[in-house]
Structure formats: C-alpha cells, structure tokens
Amino acid sequence: MNDKVSVQVVTFGAMNFAMQQNYVPLVRSVTIKNNSDEEIKDIMLKISFEPEFAKPFTHRIEVLPPHTEIEVSPVNIIVSTEFLFSLTERIVAQISVQLLCGEEELVNVGDNIDLLAYDEWSGCYIMPELIADFVTPNHPAVSGILKIATDYLRKWGKDPSITGYQSRNADVVKLQMAAVYAALQSKNIVYNNPPASFEKAGQRVRLPYSVIEQKQGTCIDLAVTYASCLEAAGLFPLIMIKKVTHTAVAALKRKLLPIV
C-alpha cells in the first residue's frame, strides 16, 4: 500500500429491487488520482462485493499521468435481480475497491451500502419517484376492484364499461375514478402503521394486493393501491407527496378519505 494513488467512489448509499429494475447504477463513478510525479502504467481497477449481490467489476487503465485524475463512468455493474428480490429485511453490504499495478497493490478501500428489502421505498431523499414502482395494475386483486367499480356505475344508472379516456369526456372519466374509489371504500380498509422497519428514511410499502386482501394500509399504501386501480382502468394517475401535520392528516381521514 502507498499514497501515490487515491480513489473516490460515488454511490447512492442504498440499493433495492425497484432501483435495479430502473437501471439506477449501483456505483455512479470512480475517480482515480495519481498524486505522484511519475506516470503509472497498466492499472487494474477491481470492484467486489460482500455478500456477492453483484458480479465483480474490472477496468484497465493503460496510463495515468502524474498529478492527473481520471473518472471511470459509467461503472456497469451487474446486480443480481434474484438476490435483491429475495430480501425481506435490510442488510448492510460492503463494496471493496482495489487498484493493482502488476503485483503491487496501490489501493484497497471499502465502503458500506444498504441493501433494502424488496418492498421498501427509500423515501424522499433518494429518488422519491420510485414510489411509482409499487403501482401494480395487473394483479388479479386489482381486477376484482374494477369489477366492483362497474357494479357501482350500473347502480348509479351509468354505463358500467371501464373505458379510460376513450369517451373523450371528462365527466365519464371522473365517474370511473369515483366508482373505483367507491369500490375501495366498500372493502372497509382501515389505517394501520407501516410494517416493522428500522429505517430512518422511507418506509416499507404494502403492495396493492396486500392492502386489498388484508384490508389495512398507510396513506402511501392506499395511494399506491388507488393508483394501481386507476392505471388498470386505463387512466393515468399521479402520486404527489406533500408534508402535512398530523392534525391535517387526521382531518383528511375523517372527512375526505374514508378509505384511510
């Protein structure tokens, strides 16, 4: 080991199944700097993982001039889909970065990364838009809600067809949304705290089929469930996250959102 070369590794600090499926890079970049007065030839960069949730990565640098830094990007690391999907609890993994010049080891550093459970949303600090990955319009449980929605449309004396935007009529679209909402109300879903988790940011998300079958969920769970049903109906929902007080949330539950 010596200090003539330094390495900086940039990661998101966390990875889960949703991030992997959306091609979020595990390692964003690796910067290598030659701090010496001499050029260094034939450098081999090696990145490995413990546990082996991703394939080892290697990259060859032919020459690194003195007092120069280069950035290796993109760092195309292949992460195991099966490994991430199998996680039911968060684990701390390690990324090891090694620089070799022939038989000489120039650098050997490590960093921790959190591997999140497959149903864990990373929250508003790391790609909040990933909440959309929990919208699952093709699950049979969601289809059951649409069937109930058609019954409500018929009960209201309207066309029971779920046609999305085909009618080009805003009132018809609103009726479909209202029918889906009423169908969810009929399930008597109650509010329940998120599943047990030890994260300081984000939370575990109950998938829509679980909300419908277990008749319980958080605000996020219910928003994702409603969005799943609208998506299945051919509508395009938008999930918005806003910070509100507990008093405001309680008022919404009582007056506006009886399914919560």
Side-chain angles (χ1 to χ4, degrees):
M1 295 291 292
N2 56 65
D3 58 2
K4 67 181 181 180
V5 178
S6 57
V7 175
Q8 181 181 20
V9 182
V10 179
T11 72
F12 274 104
M15 173 63 66
N16 64 4
F17 178 71
M19 295 172 74
Q20 187 267 345
Q21 289 293 295
N22 282 278
Y23 306 103
V24 177
L26 177 65
V27 176
R28 299 174 63 182
S29 66
V30 178
T31 302
I32 303 170
K33 183 177 181 179
N34 182 355
N35 301 312
S36 72
D37 297 325
E38 299 178 354
E39 68 176 15
I40 305 174
K41 295 182 179 180
D42 197 20
I43 300 173
M44 181 63 69
L45 167 67
K46 293 185 177 182
I47 304 177
S48 57
F49 310 92
E50 177 61 37
E52 295 180 358
F53 64 92
K55 292 184 178 180
F57 173 85
T58 59
H59 179 80
R60 184 172 176 268
I61 301 166
E62 292 185 0
V63 61
L64 184 58
H67 301 288
T68 301
E69 68 178 29
I70 64 169
E71 180 179 296
V72 179
S73 179
V75 184
N76 295 317
I77 293 173
I78 300 175
V79 181
S80 170
T81 301
E82 183 179 358
F83 189 101
L84 292 179
F85 188 70
S86 69
L87 288 179
T88 57
E89 297 291 346
R90 178 185 67 90
I91 66 171
V92 178
Q94 187 176 57
I95 299 176
S96 296
V97 179
Q98 186 181 32
L99 281 183
L100 298 172
C101 182
E103 297 297 322
E104 180 185 6
E105 184 179 72
L106 303 176
V107 175
N108 191 336
V109 296
D111 194 14
N112 291 337
I113 185 170
D114 291 334
L115 301 182
L116 307 181
Y118 77 96
D119 59 352
E120 193 161 359
W121 175 50
S122 53
C124 292
Y125 296 100
I126 303 177
M127 302 185 70
E129 63 271 24
L130 288 175
I131 190 62
D133 284 286
F134 297 93
V135 176
T136 56
N138 296 315
H139 195 278
V142 172
S143 299
I145 294 297
L146 293 191
K147 173 60 175 66
I148 298 173
T150 63
D151 294 338
Y152 272 97
L153 288 170
R154 188 179 290 107
K155 179 181 177 181
W156 297 340
K158 306 297 181 180
D159 183 350
S161 303
I162 301 294
T163 58
Y165 298 106
Q166 292 182 32
S167 66
R168 298 183 180 277
N169 186 319
D171 290 334
V172 172
V173 171
K174 291 176 183 177
L175 277 170
Q176 292 177 80
M177 295 174 65
V180 170
Y181 194 91
L184 287 171
Q185 280 184 306
S186 72
K187 290 295 183 178
N188 296 315
I189 300 170
V190 299
Y191 182 88
N192 197 354
N193 285 327
S197 176
F198 304 99
E199 300 304 318
K200 294 181 180 179
Q203 67 182 61
R204 301 189 74 152
V205 178
R206 295 180 180 91
L207 294 176
Y209 79 89
S210 177
V211 171
I212 295 168
E213 293 175 358
Q214 298 178 13
K215 302 182 186 301
Q216 61 180 354
T218 64
C219 299
I220 286 288
D221 301 338
L222 292 166
V224 167
T225 300
Y226 186 42
S228 297
C229 296
L230 294 180
E231 188 77 32
L235 303 175
F236 305 142
L238 177 66
I239 297 176
M240 299 181 67
I241 300 171
K242 180 177 176 61
K243 185 176 181 179
V244 296
T245 65
H246 288 290
T247 302
V249 171
L252 285 172
K253 292 176 185 176
R254 289 195 302 271
K255 298 179 181 179
L256 301 178
L257 299 176
I259 66 169
V260 176

